[in-house]
Amino acid sequence: KELPKCAKNDCPNLAKMQCPVCHKLELTPTYFCSDTCYKAVWSQHKLLHVKPGPLNIPGFKFSGPLRPWNVTPKRHVPKEILRPDYAETGEPKSEKLIANQKSIYVNTEEEIEGIREACKLARKVLDTAHAAVAPGVTTDEIDKVVHETTIMNDAYPSPLNYYRFPKSV
């Protein structure tokens, strides 16, 4: 069996150890090459240690078997990835600025080529998400696949924090 890559984004090494907390909580395994890498990302990684479970809404009477579940924390985006203006605040300022314009902006050839590249990446991410869909796979697991695929391609997952949306899909 091939060893997975270390979960620390800038580490090229193969992993030798699994996060013991992920293992204990029966979460999707996360692997690291060393204690050094594990400790380096611990402050962000520990946010993933939320055991999913149904939300308890006191006084609300559910009509059927479906229940809302806890939302896991927002996933980390490496600092070197270019971020949209809403990445920190959740407010797309540039979008609001152009909302009241009366003219239509015409993209340059260079911008159109950038849009084509973005569309190719979006197709790749959607195909990866589609491949992850199966009975028993949670939407949080699909979100992780989408997030990691986007990050591996040096891109920002556009839904993440758009109007404070907490997920990548």
Side-chain angles (χ1 to χ4, degrees):
K1 183 178 173 184
E2 189 175 315
L3 292 174
K5 187 179 172 297
C6 180
K8 186 171 182 277
N9 286 326
D10 59 350
C11 180
N13 299 326
L14 294 177
K16 299 174 189 160
M17 60 179 274
Q18 179 182 349
C19 170
V21 180
C22 288
H23 180 72
K24 180 181 176 185
L25 295 175
E26 298 177 348
L27 299 173
T28 303
T30 305
Y31 299 95
F32 298 93
C33 69
S34 66
D35 282 334
T36 305
C37 282
Y38 180 64
K39 290 174 184 173
V41 298
W42 174 249
S43 63
Q44 285 294 322
H45 176 70
K46 69 181 179 182
L47 299 176
L48 300 176
H49 294 148
V50 174
K51 182 80 171 162
L55 288 174
N56 182 15
I57 305 171
F60 187 82
K61 191 169 185 166
F62 289 98
S63 62
L66 295 179
R67 300 290 181 272
W69 283 61
N70 290 317
V71 177
T72 55
K74 189 167 63 171
R75 299 185 194 285
H76 173 71
V77 177
K79 289 181 176 132
E80 59 272 8
I81 290 181
L82 186 63
R83 297 163 191 271
D85 62 352
Y86 58 83
E88 299 303 320
T89 65
E91 296 294 324
K93 295 175 189 150
S94 59
E95 185 178 291
K96 290 178 178 182
L97 287 174
I98 63 168
N100 295 325
Q101 288 185 347
K102 304 287 185 230
S103 62
I104 297 172
Y105 178 78
V106 178
N107 292 297
T108 66
E109 286 300 318
E110 187 178 323
E111 290 169 328
I112 292 171
E113 186 54 37
I115 293 167
R116 282 190 184 106
E117 289 302 312
C119 289
K120 288 177 188 175
L121 176 57
R123 174 80 266 158
K124 180 180 179 179
V125 171
L126 285 172
D127 289 343
T128 306
H130 178 260
V133 174
V137 176
T138 67
T139 53
D140 195 53
E141 290 169 308
I142 295 168
D143 178 75
K144 182 179 181 184
V145 168
V146 167
H147 185 87
E148 290 176 354
T149 303
T150 307
I151 297 300
M152 283 190 299
N153 285 278
D154 297 321
Y156 184 88
S158 61
L160 187 62
N161 210 32
Y162 182 72
Y163 286 101
R164 290 177 273 303
F165 186 72
K167 297 296 172 185
S168 296
V169 68

